[in-house]
Amino acid sequence: MDKLQKDLYEWASNQFKGQPISGKFSHLRKEINELEADQKDVMEYADCYMLLMDIASNNGVLLSDIHAAAERKLEINKKRKWGKQNQDGSIEHVRGRK
């Protein structure tokens, strides 16, 4: 997993020299829209995944760390109370009052 990330980072760093992180996020948003339009296309998932890996690499975050964090976050989410569906279809956890 981390080897793929390293290979991708090396390639992207050479191929897209000087691209700001904001450009990588813009590209990711475009790819997410393409994935939403064709949710059965595994290559669209790969595009999103690779951009996310590249962004993480640029910030010194390893995929293995993301995987471990996702396992921890799932356990946190299992213990949360969840609200009703929002108008846009999203559902968020109930936040405490401030």
Side-chain angles (χ1 to χ4, degrees), residues 45-90:
Y45 285 93
D47 286 339
C48 293
Y49 185 62
M50 289 183 354
L51 279 159
L52 191 57
M53 273 195 286
D54 189 34
I55 292 166
S57 294
N58 277 269
N59 287 292
V61 178
L62 295 174
L63 284 180
S64 56
D65 294 333
I66 295 171
H67 186 88
E71 289 177 330
R72 289 191 311 270
K73 188 67 176 207
L74 177 58
E75 293 309 312
I76 290 168
N77 284 344
K78 286 178 179 180
K79 295 174 185 168
R80 285 182 162 159
K81 293 190 188 309
W82 293 86
K84 295 183 179 182
Q85 185 171 300
N86 297 317
Q87 279 188 324
D88 66 0
S90 64

Side-chain angles (χ1 to χ4, degrees), residues 9-24:
Y9 177 71
E10 288 173 2
W11 173 80
S13 294
N14 288 322
Q15 187 67 36
F16 309 114
K17 281 185 170 68
Q19 182 186 30
I21 291 289
S22 60
K24 294 175 189 296

Side-chain angles (χ1 to χ4, degrees), residues 1-9 49-50 53 63:
M1 171 181 338
D2 290 336
K3 182 188 180 316
L4 173 62
Q5 183 181 15
K6 182 178 184 274
D7 289 348
L8 174 69
Y9 177 71
Y49 185 62
M50 289 183 354
M53 273 195 286
L63 284 180

Side-chain angles (χ1 to χ4, degrees), residues 8 28 31-53:
L8 174 69
L28 177 58
E31 293 297 341
I32 289 170
N33 289 336
E34 290 179 19
L35 174 59
E36 187 174 18
D38 189 359
Q39 298 171 29
K40 301 264 186 210
D41 187 346
V42 71
M43 297 306 277
E44 294 300 340
Y45 285 93
D47 286 339
C48 293
Y49 185 62
M50 289 183 354
L51 279 159
L52 191 57
M53 273 195 286

